Amino acid sequence: MALAYVVPMSILPIITVPQPVLRETSAPVERVDDETRQLIDDMFETMYDAPGVGLAAIQVGVPLRVVVLDVGHREDEDEKNPIAMINPEIVQLSDTRRVYEEGCLSLPDVNIEIERPSEARVRYIDREGREQEINATGLLATAMQHEIDHLDGKLIIDFLSKLRRELVVRKLKKLARQV
């Protein structure tokens, strides 16, 4: 028997390169409501199923400034530390940089070494509509920057030279035709 107040979550289709929607700038969320919270729940379900450590709403075809993250579950499946960010904004980046090999759910089987600031402070609204601020280091700082890039239409392949970027896109187009 299903309970009336339990809302089922859905695994959403993840959009992959070369779909042009991934280059769109996402619009701010005007109001945090049940629809926003359902989107967040569905995004977490999709991210965990993929599996990934982050997902931006644009990657599931919703051009809103919503991001979900959980870098903790990679090491220990029982240790989930989900973070939902609505209208995230980077307010400070460190001068110290680090290189991390990044993957992306919208670029299957592509990993790229990217140098980014090693620390980031991000202001956002949580799923209850409260303003929050988080200081992140390491993988969380990298993942936050990566997902916020998605909200601005930027992909990890943009960190590559034009030639390498074209090779990756050509490979992904070829894979898409085979499906």
Side-chain angles (χ1 to χ4, degrees):
M1 175 174 102
L3 299 174
Y5 60 87
V6 175
V7 178
M9 291 188 280
S10 300
I11 294 175
L12 306 170
I14 297 173
I15 295 170
T16 58
V17 167
Q19 296 302 314
V21 70
L22 293 170
R23 294 302 191 169
E24 291 181 13
T25 300
S26 297
V29 173
E30 299 294 327
R31 185 180 74 240
V32 179
D33 55 16
D34 288 342
E35 191 174 320
T36 308
R37 285 185 280 278
Q38 183 65 51
L39 172 63
I40 288 168
D41 292 343
D42 291 346
M43 287 173 62
F44 272 122
E45 186 82 1
T46 303
M47 181 192 75
Y48 288 128
D49 181 69
V53 298
L55 187 67
I58 195 73
Q59 291 178 274
V60 293
V62 180
L64 291 174
R65 297 188 78 78
V66 177
V67 165
V68 296
L69 300 151
D70 188 347
V71 299
H73 81 281
R74 294 273 297 197
E75 288 80 33
D76 183 354
E77 285 296 322
D78 295 330
E79 281 298 317
K80 290 187 175 172
N81 186 23
I83 301 170
M85 297 179 154
I86 300 164
N87 299 335
E89 172 190 359
I90 296 173
V91 293
Q92 185 176 2
L93 295 169
S94 68
D95 292 331
T96 309
R97 301 180 72 79
R98 75 177 227 152
V99 175
Y100 190 83
E101 186 176 71
E102 296 183 34
C104 180
L105 296 175
S106 291
L107 292 145
D109 301 319
V110 174
N111 292 302
I112 299 169
E113 283 194 351
I114 297 175
E115 183 179 27
R116 295 186 188 266
S118 61
E119 298 175 34
R121 180 181 302 147
V122 175
R123 184 177 304 128
Y124 64 96
I125 298 167
D126 68 16
R127 67 181 289 126
E128 304 309 319
R130 296 178 302 240
E131 191 169 297
Q132 302 286 336
E133 199 165 288
I134 186 170
N135 292 309
T137 61
L139 179 57
L140 181 57
T142 297
M144 287 188 324
Q145 292 171 72
H146 175 114
E147 298 308 330
I148 291 170
D149 278 352
H150 274 297
L151 301 179
D152 297 322
K154 187 172 184 178
L155 302 169
I156 59 173
I157 56 175
D158 297 339
F159 289 86
L160 296 173
S161 68
K162 185 177 182 196
L163 176 63
R164 286 193 61 211
R165 183 172 50 251
E166 288 172 0
L167 289 171
V168 169
V169 171
R170 200 172 311 138
K171 173 187 163 188
L172 291 170
K173 284 180 180 179
K174 184 178 178 182
L175 288 172
R177 282 193 302 266
Q178 293 173 353
V179 175

